[in-house]
Amino acid sequence: MRRALVVLAVLVGQVMFGHALFAGPARAGSEPARVALIGVPGLHWNDLTPSDTPNLWALAGSSAIGSLSVRTVGNVTCPYDGWLTVSAGTRSASGYACGAPPRPEPRGEGAVIPDYRYLIDVAGQRTAGTLGESLKAAGQCSIAIGPGAALALADQQGAVGHYRASPLQVGTADLEQCRMVAMDVDDLVQPYLAGEPGRLPKVPDKLGPAERREALRLADTKAGALLSVLPAGTTVLLAGLSDHGSVPHLRVAALREPGAEGRLLGAASTRRDDISILTDLTATVLNKLGVAVPSTVVGVPLRVGEPGATIERLRSADATAQTMRSAKAAYFTALAVFQVLFYVLAFLLLRRRRSLPWVRRAAVALAALPVTSFLVNLLPWDSHLELFGGMAAWWVAITVLALAGPWRRRPLGPLAVVAAITALTLVGDLLTGTTLQLNSFMGYSAEQGARYFGLGNIPFALLATGTLLATTVIAHRWPGKVGVGAIVLLGAFAMVLGGSGMGSDFGGVIAFVPGIAVTALILSGKRVSLVKLGAFCVAGGVIVMGFAWLNYLRPPEEQSHLGRFVGQVLTGEAVDVIWRKFLAMVSTLANPNLMPIVVAAVAFLVYAILRPEQASAGVVPAAFEHSPALRAGLIGTLVSGVVGMLVNDSGAAVLSMALALAVPLLLATGIGALRRDGESVPGVGEQLAGVAK
């Protein structure tokens, strides 16, 4: 009996002291967390199978799972930039040929990354080392296994306290001493970097299926080696930290902890239950370890969501994103061709005063096309056939509705229908969590990582244009104070939706305010000057900074990029952000799909106003004569589009989409007015030239 009690006491002591060794100092009556970050660059959900990756498959099966956007600065992310982003807590790039992270130089128990200060002093990555510095300041011991992990855990001098080249070198004493371990499993991505020195290949997939499976088996074995020695209760993060070729993909994200199994894994940073971003890993590691997250970290801790997560669902999410991505360039090319071809044919036909009804129908159909890219997401689709079939169905429905109802006899009838549907679709999307803009041609794509919620730049252009045109129809029907009030109130409502937490659109507010103000002033019979226009733009900036400041006052995990911009202003990082967006805006001015729309629409519009009989049989002046409110709305739209182009990184895309909606509807209205009145209206240009009509 006594011997049994001794054995029992020993066992209890081993359990108690074992947990104490593994857990470290107790906090608030509970065991401190241990965290293991396993980064497998290039890993996506199609890679995981029970036969090829049994260890990773089992890990995913016991975890909350989701999709990870690995975008940093460029379109594709190499392992170096992926690990550097985890280190910095902000999207980062090494600044030169991007491939594998540098190999550390051993220094005793630890290691030093060669030429690390280059990243901070030359490449401008001033937040590099944030994760390592935060852990060091909190007295947290960490172990890095492999080059990428060393980069993630290094301090701002490039030093890592504990470094191992392989998980086989990690012993029980290491895991008892350190509560944070990160491992770079680079076996999957290394074959892709074997060609051009240190760079991702310029092809979608360099390896064949058999070669990729072999690389996966090696990666799975290495990951399994670490998983087998981790102390019980360790929180495990699995992340596919980079791309593997020229095409970006959604990657693997998994979090194993009690209660997470079978649930979705997302983050407040994306406002999506199943999508997170790289910088969320930084915040999650620090949060799980009880270390304060620095204000420079733009990510937030990962969030375990509702049950029902399946690997098949996440594979489908990437397939949907790839379907949209693969067709996006062709879509915008086709849109540009349709727009330019329409203006050429309209110019030729209107000069001869032929086929005016058909030109009107074509104009309405062309204006109805953009909104279909959002409405198609009300239908299930995962292939090109279903995607374009759904868009075509919506396109026909909107065009028929605009041209077949009793309002078709009114010059402004089709414009009212198309503009209102466009505006209401985007307003409804903002009010319901922006499910229509994600994975849409005119919105944003999941794998690109530029935006996951709120109002995108192109949707802003369509919302502003649709709102201004639709409200001018109200002003036409009820001129005077009622019409002006409708424009101001409904425009302000749409603007607040776009700039508040629902839309989180920065440049859109700056552009929308002068558009609303100019439209209202013209309708009120007031003169618009450059001074007033500048004041309206400043007012837009003040309003959006008010939205940003209110967002900044929220907890960090609830802030959008508006609130984070205020933080960047306070830390001095805003100048770099503004400069980067300015360069992005300038680059759009040479876009072969966007600029032809701008050039063709503006050229046609200017010529049609100055030489109406030669250009368009007086269609544009007829529209303005029929509805002075429409003239005010068009001018407001142009102001909003030009300002939006200058203050958004999407640049020419904003103005081109505003024109793509507004100018065809203007022509449709003018043709309707001509057909009703039976004559053309002299334009300003011809009146000044003394042309008799």
Side-chain angles (χ1 to χ4, degrees):
M1 181 69 178
R2 181 177 180 181
R3 182 176 179 181
L5 290 174
V6 171
V7 171
L8 179 61
V10 170
L11 290 174
V12 171
Q14 286 179 340
V15 171
M16 293 177 61
F17 287 109
H19 280 296
L21 287 172
F22 286 139
R27 295 182 304 160
S30 63
E31 296 178 357
R34 291 181 175 277
V35 177
L37 171 60
I38 302 176
V40 187
L43 185 69
H44 56 60
W45 285 110
N46 289 331
D47 292 324
L48 268 61
T49 65
S51 57
D52 293 331
T53 57
N55 296 301
L56 296 177
W57 180 268
L59 174 61
S62 59
S63 303
I65 56 177
S67 298
L68 177 68
S69 168
V70 298
R71 179 176 176 174
T72 54
V73 176
N75 289 328
V76 295
T77 298
C78 67
Y80 196 157
D81 289 354
W83 283 109
L84 181 60
T85 295
V86 174
S87 166
T90 61
R91 291 179 175 180
S92 305
S94 58
Y96 51 86
C98 186
R103 296 208 168 269
E105 298 174 352
R107 300 286 174 84
E109 279 289 303
V112 173
I113 298 173
D115 301 321
Y116 184 85
R117 288 297 305 183
Y118 165 89
L119 295 170
I120 299 173
D121 300 332
V122 179
Q125 306 303 309
R126 291 191 293 271
T127 56
T130 294
L131 177 57
E133 287 287 345
S134 299
L135 293 174
K136 185 170 69 172
Q140 294 285 353
C141 169
S142 60
I143 305 172
I145 306 171
L151 181 64
L153 297 180
D155 61 22
Q156 290 205 314
Q157 302 306 314
V160 184
H162 298 79
Y163 178 72
R164 304 290 184 269
S166 165
L168 300 178
Q169 298 174 353
V170 179
T172 304
D174 295 319
L175 298 176
E176 291 175 350
Q177 181 181 6
C178 298
R179 291 168 44 208
M180 173 65 203
V181 57
M183 182 170 70
D184 178 9
V185 182
D186 59 3
D187 302 82
L188 175 58
V189 79
Q190 277 299 332
Y192 290 91
L193 303 173
E196 190 175 352
R199 299 183 183 180
L200 290 177
K202 298 178 181 179
V203 294
D205 205 322
K206 177 182 174 181
L207 300 185
E211 296 172 300
R212 187 170 177 87
R213 280 199 301 271
E214 182 59 32
L216 280 166
R217 292 188 185 103
L218 293 174
D220 184 75
T221 300
K222 183 183 288 186
L226 178 63
L227 290 169
S228 66
V229 297
L230 287 176
T234 299
T235 296
V236 179
L237 287 164
L238 174 66
L241 279 167
S242 81
D243 292 305
H244 65 269
S246 61
V247 175
H249 283 268
L250 292 172
R251 303 291 169 175
V252 169
L255 171 65
R256 187 180 74 183
E257 65 180 8
E261 180 177 348
R263 295 178 178 270
L264 290 170
L265 184 64
S269 58
T270 63
R271 296 189 189 175
R272 304 287 174 183
D273 293 333
D274 58 349
I275 304 176
S276 56
I277 57 178
L278 274 178
T279 53
D280 294 335
L281 299 176
T282 312
T284 302
V285 166
L286 294 173
N287 179 263
K288 295 295 183 183
L289 292 172
V291 178
V293 180
S295 60
T296 57
V297 174
V298 300
V300 298
L302 294 172
R303 181 172 59 194
V304 176
E306 296 298 318
T310 64
I311 291 178
E312 187 56 40
R313 169 177 173 172
L314 300 175
R315 289 171 177 169
S316 178
D318 183 58
T320 299
Q322 293 304 316
T323 298
M324 180 63 65
R325 182 188 180 280
S326 63
K328 198 164 191 175
Y331 171 81
F332 277 101
T333 298
L335 182 64
V337 170
F338 287 158
Q339 287 276 331
V340 174
L341 186 61
F342 168 77
Y343 291 119
V344 171
L345 293 176
F347 175 79
L348 295 175
L349 293 174
L350 292 177
R351 286 188 67 185
R352 293 167 175 79
R353 303 193 184 194
R354 295 173 55 188
S355 305
L356 294 187
W358 285 104
V359 175
R360 190 187 194 213
R361 295 183 190 110
V364 172
L366 195 63
L369 181 58
V371 73
T372 63
S373 71
F374 307 118
L375 292 173
V376 71
N377 284 331
L378 292 173
L379 307 173
W381 63 268
D382 58 12
S383 68
H384 289 98
L385 180 61
E386 293 172 338
L387 169 61
F388 287 110
M391 290 179 63
W394 280 111
W395 192 14
V396 170
I398 296 171
T399 303
V400 169
L401 180 65
L403 293 171
W407 45 78
R408 70 184 185 279
R409 299 184 181 90
R410 299 177 181 270
L412 285 170
L415 178 148
V417 172
V418 175
I421 289 176
T422 300
L424 290 174
T425 295
L426 290 167
V427 167
D429 191 39
L430 287 172
L431 292 173
T432 55
T434 59
T435 58
L436 301 183
Q437 292 180 64
L438 183 67
N439 287 332
S440 68
F441 288 125
M442 295 286 182
Y444 29 82
S445 300
E447 89 289 348
Q448 286 185 329
R451 179 188 280 268
Y452 288 100
F453 63 89
L455 191 66
N457 292 334
I458 292 179
F460 149 72
L462 296 174
L463 174 62
T465 303
T467 300
L468 290 173
L469 293 181
T471 52
T472 55
V473 176
I474 299 176
H476 172 82
R477 176 65 179 82
W478 292 282
K481 293 183 179 180
V482 174
V484 173
I487 288 174
V488 172
L489 291 177
L490 294 178
F493 173 73
M495 182 270 293
V496 169
L497 280 183
S500 66
M502 291 183 182
S504 299
D505 187 28
F506 195 95
V509 174
I510 300 175
F512 210 163
V513 170
I516 297 169
V518 165
T519 303
L521 275 182
I522 295 175
L523 280 178
S524 302
K526 304 292 180 60
R527 180 174 173 269
V528 179
S529 65
L530 290 177
V531 174
K532 289 180 180 178
L533 184 59
F536 296 146
C537 292
V538 171
V542 171
I543 292 172
V544 77
M545 285 306 296
F547 286 134
W549 179 256
L550 292 175
N551 190 261
Y552 176 72
L553 296 178
R554 300 174 67 88
E557 64 274 10
E558 298 179 14
Q559 292 177 10
S560 69
H561 68 283
L562 291 181
R564 291 195 294 270
F565 179 75
V566 174
Q568 290 166 336
V569 170
L570 298 177
T571 60
E573 299 174 78
V575 175
D576 293 337
V577 174
I578 294 172
W579 178 248
R580 187 170 67 247
K581 290 183 176 294
F582 172 76
L583 293 178
M585 183 275 292
V586 171
S587 69
T588 66
L589 300 181
N591 188 293
N593 290 329
L594 300 175
M595 287 311 296
I597 298 176
V598 174
V599 172
V602 170
F604 185 92
L605 186 61
V606 171
Y607 195 31
I609 291 174
L610 296 180
R611 294 289 186 268
E613 283 299 320
Q614 291 92 330
S616 62
V619 165
V620 173
F624 292 159
E625 180 73 15
H626 173 74
S627 177
L630 177 59
R631 175 177 172 271
L634 180 69
I635 294 174
T637 293
L638 293 176
V639 168
S640 185
V642 171
V643 175
M645 180 182 72
L646 296 176
V647 299
N648 280 295
D649 52 3
S650 295
V654 175
L655 181 57
S656 65
M657 291 304 108
L659 293 170
L661 178 61
V663 178
L665 290 179
L666 172 67
L667 296 182
T669 301
I671 293 173
L674 282 177
R675 295 181 65 198
R676 191 194 67 167
D677 298 337
E679 59 182 14
S680 63
V681 179
V684 175
E686 289 189 332
Q687 290 175 352
L688 294 176
V691 178
K693 299 172 62 174

